[in-house]
Amino acid sequence: MQEVGCNHAQSVRYSTDGFATTPTMRKLLLIWVTARMHIEIYKYPAWSDVVEIETWCQNEGRIGTRRDWILKDYATDEVIGRATR
């Protein structure tokens, strides 16, 4: 899920380094740190299942951000899990 979050940051042109940092953060030698993550899995996928992951983020406080994920079985569109940090 961390990789999906970084890919999302790159796809919306927030970051280009693979760590979801801004140019200012890189100049100051700063990175994002995941302090905690809450994951709920309702159904584990089988080995050959394709999983679709949706993610979005929102500001939380002055220097924090919160990211959420929804995990779906691609074949059935069934929500099989959720996560937030």
Side-chain angles (χ1 to χ4, degrees), residues 1-9 34 37-41 51-56 67-71 81-85:
M1 284 183 275
Q2 183 67 36
E3 184 177 355
V4 170
C6 288
N7 290 345
H8 174 249
T34 300
M37 183 180 281
H38 179 83
I39 303 171
E40 295 177 358
I41 301 296
V51 176
E52 177 181 6
I53 303 174
E54 297 177 28
T55 186
W56 62 94
R67 180 172 289 280
D68 296 292
W69 294 265
I70 293 179
L71 293 77
R82 297 179 188 275
T84 188
R85 72 149 200 236

Side-chain angles (χ1 to χ4, degrees), residues 6 9-10 14-23 25-26 30-32:
C6 288
Q10 288 182 282
Y14 179 81
S15 178
T16 59
D17 66 352
F19 293 103
T21 59
T22 65
M25 290 175 72
R26 286 191 293 279
L30 299 173
I31 62 169
W32 290 107

Side-chain angles (χ1 to χ4, degrees), residues 41-57:
I41 301 296
Y42 312 128
K43 176 185 169 192
Y44 286 94
W47 178 255
S48 62
D49 290 351
V50 176
V51 176
E52 177 181 6
I53 303 174
E54 297 177 28
T55 186
W56 62 94
C57 57

